[in-house]
Amino acid sequence: MIVYQKAYDLYHTVYRMIKLLAYFKQDGLIEIDRLRIWDYYLLYPNKMKNIRLKREEKDVKQIIKSYILKEDNPYEMVINDRKMFEKIKPYQMTAIKCLASYGIVNKDYLQENRISNINKNIFDDYADDFKNLSVQEENAIKLLTSHFYQISLFGVDGLKSRTGLLESKYDA
């Protein structure tokens, strides 16, 4: 039996990255690791329930439970999040480099492991394509690009530590 896995589809990865960047309204830089984490949770939104949240973030936990979680798909079952995150890294990095080659993100920052939007007009051209997002997908993108952008990437309470997808023990 052949099963399509969108995690290993480069074009789908580019599409997910564009969706995330289109909803990202701030003008700041985005760390590549942060964008990769966002992409993982856009790919597997049910995994957002495993993100360690603080007590004062009860409202975020409620949003995840009410508006993002849906019934598990047995064909998308991931046993080990960290291994899966590493398996899709080549696809994510290739997608980011593809966006840089088209001038959607600034390639000068890639060596610093950061990106920034430089061509916001391209997102306006494809705005109609993003109107067909599911409610779950739209809520996940909004939560990832707003609340999870404000959380530091590093440290004990950083996004890397809370998600457990990347090693954070040796971060400065």
Side-chain angles (χ1 to χ4, degrees):
M1 175 168 78
I2 297 174
V3 178
Y4 169 72
Q5 179 55 274
K6 57 188 173 185
Y8 303 120
D9 183 356
L10 181 59
Y11 296 111
H12 196 273
T13 307
V14 170
Y15 182 66
R16 288 192 313 268
M17 297 271 183
I18 288 175
K19 285 193 286 191
L20 286 165
L21 294 172
Y23 272 87
F24 183 69
K25 302 299 182 196
Q26 288 88 351
D27 288 329
L29 297 173
I30 306 171
E31 300 92 344
I32 289 178
D33 286 341
R34 182 182 304 273
L35 184 61
R36 289 185 55 230
I37 290 170
W38 288 354
D39 177 60
Y40 184 78
Y41 287 113
L42 182 58
L43 183 61
Y44 301 110
N46 284 354
K47 297 292 184 176
M48 290 177 84
K49 67 184 175 202
N50 299 335
I51 298 175
R52 195 177 30 133
L53 297 170
K54 293 182 178 181
R55 275 193 199 145
E56 32 314 327
E57 295 173 317
K58 283 190 279 187
D59 54 339
V60 174
K61 187 170 250 181
Q62 188 60 37
I63 290 170
I64 291 171
K65 189 185 294 186
S66 302
Y67 300 109
I68 296 175
L69 297 182
K70 67 176 186 177
E71 191 175 320
D72 284 331
N73 184 346
Y75 296 106
E76 292 182 354
M77 196 164 75
V78 176
I79 296 168
N80 187 327
D81 289 328
R82 199 173 209 166
K83 281 185 181 179
M84 184 61 165
F85 188 68
E86 284 304 312
K87 278 184 181 179
I88 64 173
K89 182 179 180 176
Y91 299 96
Q92 291 175 324
M93 295 307 295
T94 304
I96 291 169
K97 290 174 185 172
C98 176
L99 294 175
S101 71
Y102 283 114
I104 297 172
V105 297
N106 192 341
K107 62 183 170 189
D108 297 336
Y109 291 112
L110 281 179
Q111 293 179 353
E112 299 173 17
N113 287 328
R114 297 170 185 248
I115 62 167
S116 69
N117 293 347
I118 58 170
N119 191 352
K120 292 197 185 268
N121 297 333
I122 197 163
F123 300 127
D124 296 335
D125 296 341
Y126 295 104
D128 293 335
D129 293 341
F130 299 136
K131 289 181 182 172
N132 298 331
L133 295 176
S134 68
V135 174
Q136 178 199 28
E137 217 175 15
E138 190 170 349
N139 289 331
I141 290 171
K142 287 178 181 176
L143 184 64
L144 289 167
T145 58
S146 60
H147 180 73
F148 291 111
Y149 178 69
Q150 297 170 358
I151 296 173
S152 171
L153 189 62
F154 308 105
V156 177
D157 288 330
L159 193 59
K160 289 166 103 178
S161 175
R162 287 182 183 202
T163 61
L165 296 175
L166 290 168
E167 185 63 48
S168 62
K169 190 187 318 183
Y170 303 107
D171 290 340

